[in-house]
């Protein structure tokens, strides 16, 4: 049952996700690749959370934020990846109207939360490098908890906005979503009403979110770079930069891909390009984050070695 008759209109009750490709051979290959990526994502981020939770070497504000980033990456990837894997195995992957709204809301919630967490981590690095004497005061446990709460509240507002957007839009025609999950843009294309206002509202919300958190990151790193350049010791400069390199890599990857989708004019890229970039920031980046922070962070590597050493010798 794809639709119900409501007066003179046909109301859509479920959507069909077309997925990434219809090629049967390519679907098998992509299924194996994305399944492996998802397993690495969940295991890698879960290990990061457990390591930060039980290792005394990484009980610092930066790792407190990192543990929440790892949690958000798990849920963000899980909101779309399992359903995407199903599209590779079946000819017709359907999702209910309410399920579609929930999926979009979840992706918007945790996607926005990641922006705020990356901004909070940039602020933490700013305080650690530019104001080291005030760091313990300015980044107390209470302050860290407040920043985390702000991140989740900001994400929740964004998620609820997009969730309600689905319920506001009337759907009375085709129900084939040209994507591997219920993204906002392909859903808007299926609506049978004027979508100009809601499109502007959605773009404004996402644009404001990226602008606000992006400015926090940019200003933080401007002051960080100025402070590092003023350091006389080469070793001090290297140490200060090394504490920021992993976070800066994560910021560049996430902001770069999401800005391309949500800020750049849609005339500059096709639907297929949108799908590929969405795969990158919703599936691949959550896998890369724990690898980036593990391979480029001395404290994480030391804590991992010590923990593995205890397991081996015990």
């Amino acid at each position: 049952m794809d639709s119900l008759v409501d007066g003179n209109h046909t109301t859509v009750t479920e959507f069909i996700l077309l997925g990434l490709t219809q090629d049967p051979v390519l679907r098998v290959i992509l299924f194996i690749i994305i399944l492996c990526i998802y397993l690495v994502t969940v295991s890698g981020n879960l290990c990061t959370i457990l390591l930060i939770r039980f290792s005394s070497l990484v009980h610092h504000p930066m790792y407190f934020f990192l543990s929440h980033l790892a949690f958000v990456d798990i849920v963000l990837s899980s909101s779309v990846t399992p359903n995407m894997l199903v599209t590779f195995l079946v000819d017709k992957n359907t999702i209910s109207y309410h399920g579609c709204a929930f999926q979009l809301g979840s992706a918007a919630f945790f996607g926005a939360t990641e922006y705020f967490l990356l901004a909070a981590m940039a602020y933490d690095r700013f305080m650690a490098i530019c104001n080291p004497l005030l760091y313990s005061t300015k980044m107390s446990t209470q302050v860290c908890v407040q920043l985390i709460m702000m991140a989740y509240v900001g994400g929740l507002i964004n998620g609820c906005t997009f969730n309600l957007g689905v319920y506001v839009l009337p759907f009375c025609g085709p129900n084939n979503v040209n994507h591997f999950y219920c993204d906002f843009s392909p859903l808007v294309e299926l609506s049978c009403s004027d979508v100009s206002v809601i499109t502007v509202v959605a773009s404004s919300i996402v644009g404001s979110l990226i602008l606000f958190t992006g400015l926090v990151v940019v200003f933080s790193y401007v002051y960080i770079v100025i402070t590092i350049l003023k350091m006389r010791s080469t070793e001090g400069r290297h140490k200060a930069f090394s504490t920021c390199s992993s976070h800066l890599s994560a910021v560049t990857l996430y902001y770069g891909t999401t800005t391309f989708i949500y800020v750049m004019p849609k005339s500059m890229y096709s639907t297929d390009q949108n799908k590929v970039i969405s795969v990158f920031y919703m599936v691949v980046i959550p896998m890369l984050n724990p690898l980036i922070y593990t391979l480029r962070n001395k404290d994480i590597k030391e804590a991992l070695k010590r923990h593995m050493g205890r397991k081996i010798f015990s």
Side-chain angles (χ1 to χ4, degrees):
M1 185 69 173
D2 293 342
S3 59
L4 294 174
V5 177
D6 182 16
N8 295 326
H9 298 283
T10 302
T11 304
V12 173
T13 59
E14 64 180 24
F15 295 96
I16 300 173
L17 299 175
L18 300 182
L20 287 173
T21 179
Q22 299 301 317
D23 186 288
V25 177
L26 189 57
R27 287 170 70 172
V28 174
I29 296 173
L30 288 174
F31 174 82
I32 297 172
I33 293 174
I34 292 177
L35 177 60
C36 293
I37 291 175
Y38 181 62
L39 293 176
V40 173
T41 298
V42 175
S43 59
N45 283 290
L46 188 59
C47 287
T48 300
I49 295 171
L50 294 175
L51 186 65
I52 293 172
R53 173 66 179 83
F54 294 108
S55 177
S56 59
L57 293 176
V58 287
H59 281 178
H60 304 293
M62 180 173 67
Y63 302 111
F64 176 67
F65 294 125
L66 179 57
S67 65
H68 282 272
L69 181 66
F71 167 73
V72 168
D73 279 337
I74 291 175
V75 185
L76 177 62
S77 181
S78 298
S79 67
V80 299
T81 307
N83 205 349
M84 178 170 57
L85 291 172
V86 173
T87 62
F88 295 130
L89 301 177
V90 298
D91 294 328
K92 182 180 178 182
N93 182 26
T94 60
I95 183 171
S96 69
Y97 178 80
H98 298 294
C100 188
F102 179 77
Q103 186 182 56
L104 174 60
S106 299
F109 174 17
F110 291 102
T113 302
E114 184 144 346
Y115 281 117
F116 284 104
L117 287 175
L118 291 172
M121 294 171 76
Y123 176 73
D124 172 75
R125 291 299 83 206
F126 160 73
M127 292 303 304
I129 294 173
C130 301
N131 298 281
L133 298 179
L134 298 175
Y135 181 70
S136 59
T137 303
K138 295 294 184 178
M139 296 302 296
S140 63
T141 302
Q142 182 179 2
V143 172
C144 292
V145 171
Q146 289 173 349
L147 290 173
I148 289 294
M149 290 178 63
M150 288 176 59
Y152 284 112
V153 169
L156 181 62
I157 293 173
N158 188 66
C160 290
T161 302
F162 279 89
N163 184 276
L164 291 174
V166 177
Y167 289 112
V168 170
L169 291 172
F171 298 97
C172 48
N175 63 340
N176 293 326
V177 180
N178 190 15
H179 217 295
F180 60 84
Y181 82 105
C182 289
D183 195 10
F184 187 71
S185 295
L187 283 175
V188 165
E189 294 175 0
L190 298 178
S191 178
C192 54
S193 67
D194 182 15
V195 297
S196 57
V197 175
I198 194 169
T199 301
V200 171
V201 171
S203 299
S204 300
I205 292 173
V206 175
S208 300
L209 172 65
I210 295 176
L211 180 62
F212 172 73
T213 56
L215 286 176
V216 173
V217 173
V218 169
F219 281 117
S220 296
Y221 274 102
V222 166
Y223 282 102
I224 287 172
V225 170
I226 293 173
T227 303
I228 291 176
L229 292 177
K230 289 181 179 179
M231 294 179 178
R232 297 180 180 180
S233 170
T234 304
E235 183 181 352
R237 290 181 183 179
H238 177 73
K239 183 178 180 181
F241 181 75
S242 65
T243 63
C244 302
S245 59
S246 55
H247 174 258
L248 197 55
S249 300
V251 167
T252 303
L253 285 172
Y254 193 71
Y255 275 80
T257 52
T258 54
T259 300
F260 186 87
I261 292 178
Y262 295 112
V263 177
M264 299 294 287
K266 290 181 173 54
S267 59
M268 296 186 64
Y269 58 89
S270 65
T271 302
D272 290 336
Q273 288 175 318
N274 185 316
K275 290 181 184 180
V276 173
I277 297 170
S278 296
V279 169
F280 190 75
Y281 93 87
M282 300 194 75
V283 179
V284 178
I285 289 180
M287 176 198 68
L288 293 178
N289 279 343
L291 299 178
I292 290 172
Y293 281 98
T294 300
L295 297 176
R296 305 189 67 174
N297 189 288
K298 184 178 179 180
D299 291 337
I300 291 287
K301 288 191 289 186
E302 185 64 30
L304 185 61
K305 289 178 182 178
R306 181 175 297 187
H307 185 72
M308 293 300 294
R310 288 176 180 174
K311 291 292 184 182
I312 293 173
F313 289 109
S314 62

